[in-house]
Amino acid sequence: MATYQAIAAVSLALKGLLDRALPKDEFPDAAIELLQPGDYATGMAEGVSLLLYRVAINHTQRNLPPRNALDGTRFRPPLPVDLHYLLSAWSDDADTQQSLLGWAMRALEDTPILPGNLINPFMPGNPVFRADESVELVCDPLPLEQWLALWATLTPKAAASMTYIVRMVQIDSGKPMPDAERVRQRTFEIVKGVDS
């Protein structure tokens, strides 16, 4: 379970993985960038972008148990979220754009599980994920109507793209749960019935 910086850490890790894998000899002018929705108005000259376009609660894991710290303190249950990304390739040349998209999709498919020790180095400061934690990266194409709705919000610029989900990012709570005393015995009272 990760700190509140988990979303940013995952985004930076995805960017870093693509940066490291980019074949510079084949795409010398390409860059890897994290974009926001407003950045699609201008796009990029050449490269691959990642846009976090949706964050959703993972309802299959919504009722997780409280987290127990090493000192015995119980914390509120983690918040499980799924991160939805739009991976886009940019270039003035269609061949280069499509080659970039194919390369980026293959690079992400080669790392379907992102362990905490792979994510943490991309985030400055203290570790965000524990070393035994991991998240899952899944290619998840949108249905056509959702695809068109997404591009309608990102116009005027569009690019060859694919959508991905990073599943089960568990954001820890720093708020301890109050502990009530454990029940040690039950006391039953016998009440005599009232005659009518």
Side-chain angles (χ1 to χ4, degrees), residues 14-16 18-20 22-24 26-35 43-50 87-91 96 100-101 103-104:
L14 292 174
K15 178 187 182 299
L18 291 172
D19 262 333
R20 286 182 180 174
L22 180 66
K24 290 286 189 186
E26 190 175 345
F27 304 111
D29 299 325
I32 310 294
E33 293 184 16
L34 294 176
L35 297 185
M44 294 174 58
E46 185 173 302
V48 173
S49 67
L50 284 163
L87 174 80
S88 301
W90 303 87
S91 179
T96 303
L100 276 166
L101 181 63
W103 161 80

Side-chain angles (χ1 to χ4, degrees), residues 91-114:
S91 179
D92 293 333
D93 177 59
D95 292 344
T96 303
Q97 182 186 42
Q98 293 168 19
S99 295
L100 276 166
L101 181 63
W103 161 80
M105 290 174 63
R106 181 69 257 173
L108 291 181
E109 189 67 24
D110 288 341
T111 314
I113 302 295
L114 305 173

Side-chain angles (χ1 to χ4, degrees), residues 74-149:
R74 288 173 22 135
F75 289 91
R76 293 185 56 75
L79 177 66
V81 296
D82 292 339
L83 309 177
H84 298 253
Y85 289 93
L86 178 67
L87 174 80
S88 301
W90 303 87
S91 179
D92 293 333
D93 177 59
D95 292 344
T96 303
Q97 182 186 42
Q98 293 168 19
S99 295
L100 276 166
L101 181 63
W103 161 80
M105 290 174 63
R106 181 69 257 173
L108 291 181
E109 189 67 24
D110 288 341
T111 314
I113 302 295
L114 305 173
N117 59 7
L118 185 137
I119 299 170
N120 286 334
F122 294 104
M123 187 73 180
N126 293 330
V128 175
F129 287 85
R130 290 192 324 259
D132 63 341
E133 290 183 273
S134 63
V135 295
E136 181 184 16
L137 175 65
V138 179
C139 183
D140 185 48
L142 292 176
L144 183 59
E145 62 277 1
Q146 290 179 17
W147 190 254
L148 294 173

